[in-house]
């Protein structure tokens, strides 16, 4: 497993002030495109290279990529690297100022759609139903681009963890992080089921199921 650290402090609990500072820095960083009109975030080029390296080092049919929130859509745009065969898009929040935006250039969007259709890729995606950072309009835009290849799954907001870390409670302010901050780690719970579905999807696509 490869876990790129793109911002923040590894392992730190997301407090309000620290989280605000990270968001402000990322929004003005040249590596990210937080707002509409910016196209694909440049950091995705590096992530594609990481996927290519991981595949060379580990072998197998390909690489899975899981994006979360600010990086949610990166898992999809990483699919322009042929090694990426299992993209998982969790509650993608970019662009911040366009609820129906996809955070990719028109050229990259067309290339992703072509690659998904050509290679039969399936894209798994999750959001809560009242998430204001990842709206139904955004999922509709993914569906319009990818058709039936986009498996967008929507969980009821009432199933979210009601006591997330402070940044998610006070700044995010809604059910958002399906398999992290708003996860309820209980057997049979909708968020736990979502986590298990993601693991099963990766295992199927990457050929790691146990006999």
């Amino acid at each position: 497993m490869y876990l790129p650290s793109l911002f923040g402090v590894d392992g730190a609990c997301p407090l309000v002030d620290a989280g605000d500072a990270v968001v402000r820095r990322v929004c003005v960083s040249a590596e990210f495109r937080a707002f509409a009109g910016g196209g694909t975030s440049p950091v995705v080029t590096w992530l594609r290279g990481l996927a290519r390296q991981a595949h060379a080092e580990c072998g197998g049919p390909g690489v899975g990529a899981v994006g979360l929130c600010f990086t949610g859509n990166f898992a999809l745009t990483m699919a322009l690297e042929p090694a990426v065969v299992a993209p998982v898009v969790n509650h993608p929040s970019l662009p911040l100022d366009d609820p129906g935006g996809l955070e990719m250039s028109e050229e990259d969007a067309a290339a992703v759609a072509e690659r998904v259709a050509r290679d039969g890729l399936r894209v798994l995606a999750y959001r809560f139903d009242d998430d204001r950072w990842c709206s139904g309009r955004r999922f509709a835009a993914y569906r319009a681009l990818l058709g039936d290849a986009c498996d967008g799954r929507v969980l009821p907001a009432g199933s979210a963890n009601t006591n997330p870390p402070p940044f998610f409670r006070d700044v995010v302010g809604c059910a958002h992080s399906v398999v992290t901050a708003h996860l309820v780690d209980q057997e049979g719970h909708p968020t736990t089921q979502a986590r298990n579905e993601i693991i099963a999807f990766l295992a199927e696509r990457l050929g790691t199921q146990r006999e």
Side-chain angles (χ1 to χ4, degrees), residues 2-186:
Y2 294 73
L3 187 61
S5 179
L6 303 181
F7 44 77
V9 178
D10 296 346
C13 181
L15 301 176
V16 173
D17 290 344
D20 270 345
V22 169
V23 170
R24 287 194 296 270
R25 287 198 302 271
V26 171
C27 283
V28 299
S29 169
E31 292 301 312
F32 300 92
R33 295 288 185 264
F35 301 102
T40 305
S41 289
V43 72
V44 177
T45 301
W46 180 85
L47 291 169
R48 290 175 192 146
L50 177 63
R52 189 162 52 250
Q53 176 183 329
H55 190 216
E57 292 176 352
C58 300
V63 173
V66 179
L68 300 165
C69 184
F70 207 89
T71 67
N73 185 60
F74 294 178
L76 180 58
T77 45
M78 283 175 68
L80 290 180
E81 163 54 46
V84 176
V85 298
V88 181
V89 179
N90 282 307
H91 42 88
S93 60
L94 299 185
L96 296 174
D97 60 343
D98 181 3
L102 294 179
E103 201 275 326
M104 65 176 81
S105 67
E106 292 183 4
E107 295 79 8
D108 281 353
V112 165
E114 180 183 1
R115 200 255 156 139
V116 166
R118 182 183 67 245
D119 295 344
L121 293 191
R122 180 170 152 228
V123 179
L124 191 57
Y126 288 88
R127 62 178 290 269
F128 284 110
D129 59 9
D130 72 344
D131 187 352
R132 67 173 181 265
W133 301 100
C134 178
S135 70
R137 288 173 57 190
R138 182 155 295 145
F139 263 34
Y142 282 118
R143 183 78 173 186
L145 178 68
L146 303 173
D148 291 342
C150 180
D151 184 358
R153 304 182 183 186
V154 183
L155 278 63
S159 65
N161 177 11
T162 57
N163 188 32
F167 176 78
F168 292 90
R169 183 189 65 229
D170 300 335
V171 178
V172 175
C174 63
H176 178 63
S177 301
V178 174
V179 294
T180 53
H182 290 103
L183 171 76
V184 177
D185 194 6
Q186 296 176 359

